Amino acid sequence: MTGPHIGMSATVWAATVVLGLTSGGVLGAGTARADDPIDTLSAQQIADRSSDALRGARSMHLSTRTASADGSAPTTLDLIVDRAGNCTGSVGLGGKQGSVRIVKRGDTVWVRPDAQFWKSRDSRVGSALAAILAGRYMKGSASDPRLSSLSGACDLATFQKVVSENAKSDKGTLTKGEKTTLAGAPVVPLVRTWHGQKVTMYVAATGKPYPLRIDVTGGSPKADATVGFSAFDKPVPTTTPPPDETVGINVQEIRAT
């Protein structure tokens, strides 16, 4: 009987969504001064500056929501992450898979699956683990193969590396929309369409040109999703679960109990 394996590659997935807009020179980057207002630039120039700003962030709040093909609960990610791999937040696994709270500090990770997560697993193993944990966090090494996929979602450095190393692409058409507002903040929307999929990125029009939100609709297979970025360069909270809310044993030991 194998133990629970929590997997999530949402951070890399979010990176590929960003790359769908920031890669390649469909329109050609051209030249622009660093102090040019962002809304006066071409679509590709804005995309390039947004990519540079994102790569330069030391930390951020990253959220994703991906619609499920079967209409069940969406897959979600809500994490504050930094370049050192520290994070705090939650991952929703979609459908009837439940959700998991996660805190990672250095090489140590704490995870607390909810009741639905345990119900979705093997009934005997899930019930045993739920009883042992009794609502507490499971503490282990970030390198544990059963936790590494989840803790890997905390790696902002990898996310930024994927952005920076992506090869040039000429897929689809990239266009710039009219300056507008998003949650009260001035933004410039960029839209890339390709094979029926529409990806819209809202770039901050004041301050650093960070991407603030990306919406994905259509395509085949259809994959409607939203990625949000905020709280740039604000540190990840350092609070970790206290000992009385933690089971200090690894997954392998729990399985053997």
Side-chain angles (χ1 to χ4, degrees), residues 25-45:
V26 174
L27 303 182
T31 59
R33 296 199 315 251
D35 59 351
D36 285 339
I38 198 75
D39 58 313
T40 67
L41 305 181
S42 71
Q44 190 60 53
Q45 288 168 341

Side-chain angles (χ1 to χ4, degrees), residues 11 58-63 77-91 101-105 151 153-156 228 230-238:
T11 303
R58 297 186 299 274
S59 60
M60 71 176 71
H61 179 194
L62 175 66
S63 62
L77 178 74
D78 190 350
L79 290 174
I80 303 173
V81 297
D82 67 18
R83 289 183 180 178
N86 302 309
C87 79
T88 183
S90 63
V91 174
R101 289 287 304 174
I102 177 171
V103 177
K104 183 174 178 289
R105 201 76 197 166
S151 61
C154 298
D155 192 352
L156 176 59
S230 61
F232 297 98
D233 292 333
K234 293 185 178 180
V236 175
T238 59

Side-chain angles (χ1 to χ4, degrees), residues 54 76 118 122 124 128 175 177 179 187 217 237:
L54 188 68
T76 60
W118 295 121
D122 176 276
R124 184 180 66 84
T175 58
K179 186 177 177 180
V187 295
T217 58

Side-chain angles (χ1 to χ4, degrees), residues 111-242:
V111 296
R112 187 178 67 189
D114 65 4
Q116 185 59 49
F117 174 91
W118 295 121
K119 288 180 182 178
S120 69
R121 269 52 193 175
D122 176 276
S123 59
R124 184 180 66 84
V125 175
S127 296
L129 290 174
I132 293 170
L133 293 172
R136 294 172 292 178
Y137 283 86
M138 185 166 53
K139 179 181 177 181
S141 169
S143 61
D144 187 305
R146 298 172 185 82
L147 301 175
S148 60
S149 293
L150 181 63
S151 61
C154 298
D155 192 352
L156 176 59
T158 296
F159 175 84
Q160 292 170 319
K161 183 178 180 181
V162 172
V163 171
S164 64
E165 292 184 350
N166 183 66
K168 294 294 183 179
S169 169
D170 59 358
K171 294 178 179 178
T173 301
L174 181 65
T175 58
K176 179 180 73 171
E178 294 293 326
K179 186 177 177 180
T180 183
T181 59
L182 178 68
V187 295
V188 177
L190 299 180
V191 179
R192 187 182 293 278
T193 55
W194 186 63
H195 283 193
Q197 185 178 75
K198 178 181 178 182
V199 182
T200 305
M201 178 165 69
Y202 299 89
V203 180
T206 59
K208 289 186 178 181
Y210 289 119
L212 301 183
R213 194 179 80 194
I214 297 173
D215 295 330
V216 183
T217 58
S220 182
K222 187 176 181 181
D224 293 352
T226 296
V227 184
F229 307 90
S230 61
F232 297 98
D233 292 333
K234 293 185 178 180
V236 175
T238 59
T239 303
T240 58

